[in-house]
Amino acid sequence: MLDVKRLTKKYNKVKAIDDVSFFIPDGQVGVIMGPNGSGKSTTIKSIAGLLRYTGEVSIQGFENRSIEAKKVFGYVPELPTMFPLLTVREHIIYTLKAYGLPIDEEKIEYLLDTFELKDKENKLGDELSKGMMQKVSICCALIIEPKVLMLDEPMIGLDPKAIRELKKMILELRDKGVTILISTHMLEMVEGLWDTIVILKNGKVMGQFDKDMAEGKNLEEIFFKVTGDEDV
Ligand code: ADP
Ligand code: MG
């Protein structure tokens, strides 16, 4: 469960997001959709507790910056960063150790196989392409079996096989009750994946729609109806 209330973030004097509120229940995929610069990354980074902001965020009922919240959420940033001298496998092990979780070789193998990283498992962080870093970052978020998973533009830079696997995994996690938040500016990336959608424009929420309210409309129709423009 993810509850965001009146989130406002200023960079210097400029408001990047303004009074953003939304709720995503357990077992649902929420999408934040908006054009470039609309405040998607700022929203997700604030929820992850990486920025100063005003407003309230609770993750599974815990204040987002509490240790209880940190134990249960996974975050895949828009721009993955690696430890240059850790291997792919070591990134995953490091994450498990940081969370005080046991090293589960079977789970590690499964993720490495799924994202086609098995033959790259001994490559160092600074030897990886952007797409591989993205995959490692996704593996690190998944290995902790989060209750809330946030992915900032996760499909960018991924190959078609990895996109397919990620979508499959998102739906499996959803069915296990995990709360998922995905940001994207590309409508087609989340077609068939979303339960609720938050539409952002210029840092403000233009509306939130549940799949049940969509009345058979596709995402594109909803998006243009709400934003009233055609420039995305
Ligand atoms: P999105 O992820 O939807 O593309 P962002 O959250 O990255 O949007 O950006 C929202 C607004 O905040 C944009 O106008 C952007 O220029 C501004 N912004 C983002 N990061 C910074 C920063 N570190 N310093 C100043 N302005 C920023
Ligand atoms: Mg962004």
Side-chain angles (χ1 to χ4, degrees):
M1 178 271 275
L2 185 58
D3 196 7
V4 176
K5 287 196 183 114
R6 300 179 307 277
L7 202 58
T8 299
K9 166 69 190 170
K10 288 182 195 164
Y11 292 110
N12 299 314
K13 296 237 162 67
V14 183
K15 273 186 189 167
I17 50 171
D18 187 4
D19 205 26
V20 167
S21 298
F22 58 86
F23 179 79
I24 306 172
D26 290 347
Q28 286 209 2
V29 178
V31 170
I32 320 185
M33 167 83 59
N36 292 321
S38 56
K40 302 180 297 294
S41 296
T42 302
T43 301
I44 293 190
K45 282 187 211 161
S46 300
I47 296 170
L50 301 174
L51 297 174
R52 282 166 190 269
Y53 57 83
T54 61
E56 286 167 42
V57 179
S58 92
I59 296 176
Q60 297 301 96
F62 301 115
E63 195 266 325
N64 62 336
R65 280 180 282 209
S66 65
I67 191 81
E68 290 89 350
K70 285 182 179 160
K71 278 184 184 169
V72 295
F73 80 81
Y75 163 57
V76 179
E78 189 173 24
L79 301 169
T81 47
M82 297 286 108
F83 295 106
L85 297 179
L86 290 189
T87 65
V88 166
R89 174 176 279 271
E90 284 166 349
H91 275 86
I92 302 176
I93 291 173
Y94 176 87
T95 306
L96 284 170
K97 287 191 171 165
Y99 280 79
L101 295 170
I103 311 299
D104 183 337
E105 290 296 338
E106 210 172 300
K107 227 162 62 182
I108 296 173
E109 291 304 305
Y110 172 70
L111 285 174
L112 289 173
D113 274 343
T114 302
F115 289 102
E116 297 188 310
L117 289 170
K118 192 74 192 97
D119 56 334
K120 320 244 168 28
E121 66 176 330
N122 294 317
K123 270 193 183 287
L124 296 176
D126 67 358
E127 295 172 340
L128 303 176
S129 68
K130 159 93 176 30
M132 286 182 222
M133 289 187 194
Q134 183 80 0
K135 291 180 188 181
V136 175
S137 180
I138 291 169
C139 290
C140 289
L142 291 173
I143 197 76
I144 66 153
E145 297 189 354
K147 296 274 186 291
V148 175
L149 176 63
M150 296 185 277
L151 305 133
D152 194 356
E153 307 260 10
M155 321 296 186
I156 305 287
L158 290 186
D159 50 72
K161 163 97 169 39
I163 291 177
R164 195 174 68 189
E165 292 300 336
L166 180 62
K167 284 184 172 174
K168 214 166 88 188
M169 224 171 254
I170 287 170
L171 292 175
E172 281 168 18
L173 291 171
R174 178 189 72 178
D175 293 344
K176 285 187 192 156
V178 175
T179 307
I180 295 149
L181 179 65
I182 307 174
S183 83
T184 183
H185 65 283
M186 285 157 55
L187 297 157
E188 63 275 18
M189 283 299 174
V190 289
E191 197 73 71
L193 209 60
W194 63 287
D195 296 301
T196 183
I197 180 164
V198 178
I199 298 180
L200 269 191
K201 192 177 173 186
N202 299 327
K204 291 201 166 78
V205 175
M206 308 298 287
Q208 178 169 4
F209 293 85
D210 291 346
K211 193 139 210 168
D212 320 338
M213 295 157 54
E215 294 165 348
K217 288 196 183 66
N218 68 25
L219 262 186
E220 200 174 32
E221 286 167 325
I222 294 173
F223 183 81
F224 289 128
K225 186 160 175 269
V226 170
T227 57
D229 59 25
E230 299 278 331
D231 61 355
V232 177

